[in-house]
Amino acid sequence: MTWPFGIQDLIREFITLFVVIDPVGSIPVFLFATAAVPQRLHRSFALRAVLVSALVLGLFLVLGQIILEGIGLRLGAFQIAGGIVLFLFALSMIFGETKAASEIKEAESEDLSGAVFPLAIPSIASPGAILAVVILTDNHSTGIVEQAMTAGVLALVLVVTFVLLLLASKIQRWIGQTGVSVISRVMGLILATVAVDAVLQGLEQMGVLALSAAPV
């Protein structure tokens, strides 16, 4: 089946951003961060976290590549490095502690809880998400329209994240901590595949490989 132009790319970008942002994995972090916050403020708490994440990711989406090229780095090299980092991040999701467990432990050690840390950063606007938005908006291969569409996909993922945070208590009761762990590991496997693809694209952009187009 042949999709209309651009649909496959949008689906791929949505899956990539959903995986690296991991809204489901942020649910336990949200519950921990709001443990001492009155229920009536949870909506504002979630909104603030999502808006901070949107600001951080939006800045990297617009300026990330400009900064890289300004200091003389090629995007292909960044794609390879980003792919390797994403792959290591994926391995930690598959074999290590769940995202929520590690970030809650970090929050406890720092004695901080709030909308900015650990919820907005590094739970929602994670290093993997920052790398992903820069890689997905290559100025040399994507135009303003495509980059605007990527920004729209990012906004959609953040809206989904906001909705899931509002439903956090119900979702955790429904799927439990085991469910969160299983989902996190499945997403890690998907992210590992995305990471390998990013490395291959970086090698292709630098002229090291010549890859055939993916089947449709």
Side-chain angles (χ1 to χ4, degrees):
M1 178 178 180
T2 302
W3 291 91
F5 176 78
I7 294 296
Q8 281 185 319
D9 292 333
L10 290 177
I11 293 174
R12 180 178 181 275
E13 289 182 359
F14 179 84
I15 292 173
T16 299
L17 292 173
F18 190 88
V19 167
V20 295
I21 291 175
D22 190 8
V24 176
S26 294
I27 289 174
V29 182
F30 173 78
L31 293 173
F32 168 79
T34 57
V37 177
Q39 182 67 38
R40 60 185 175 82
L41 296 179
H42 283 195
R43 182 185 181 90
S44 298
F45 194 95
L47 180 60
R48 178 176 298 181
V50 170
L51 289 177
V52 170
S53 302
L55 177 62
V56 172
L57 294 175
L59 284 174
F60 276 94
L61 188 150
V62 174
L63 300 175
Q65 186 176 353
I66 296 174
I67 295 172
L68 286 173
E69 293 181 345
I71 59 178
L73 297 178
R74 290 181 290 180
L75 185 66
F78 185 78
Q79 284 180 304
I80 295 171
I84 293 172
V85 172
L86 287 178
F87 186 78
L88 295 175
F89 183 69
L91 290 181
S92 71
M93 291 175 68
I94 297 171
F95 298 111
E97 290 182 309
T98 62
K99 169 182 175 179
S102 61
E103 287 164 3
I104 287 174
K105 182 179 293 184
E106 183 178 359
E108 289 173 337
S109 65
E110 295 293 335
D111 193 28
L112 291 174
S113 60
V116 176
F117 175 86
L119 186 55
I121 304 170
S123 187
I124 300 174
S126 63
I130 291 171
L131 287 169
V133 296
V134 175
I135 292 172
L136 291 174
T137 53
D138 175 14
N139 295 334
H140 302 300
S141 61
T142 59
I144 297 297
V145 174
E146 288 83 1
Q147 293 181 18
M149 293 174 72
T150 300
V153 172
L154 174 61
L156 177 60
V157 173
L158 291 175
V159 168
V160 172
T161 302
F162 176 65
V163 172
L164 290 178
L165 292 181
L166 294 182
L167 300 174
S169 298
K170 294 181 180 178
I171 292 174
Q172 190 183 52
R173 286 197 300 268
W174 181 49
I175 66 176
Q177 186 60 41
T178 301
V180 172
S181 177
V182 170
I183 292 173
S184 179
R185 279 159 172 74
V186 172
M187 287 186 170
L189 182 60
I190 297 173
L191 181 58
T193 306
V194 172
V196 171
D197 187 62
V199 171
L200 293 176
Q201 288 185 15
L203 292 172
E204 183 178 34
Q205 187 172 50
M206 297 183 70
V208 178
L209 291 179
L211 303 176
S212 58
V216 295

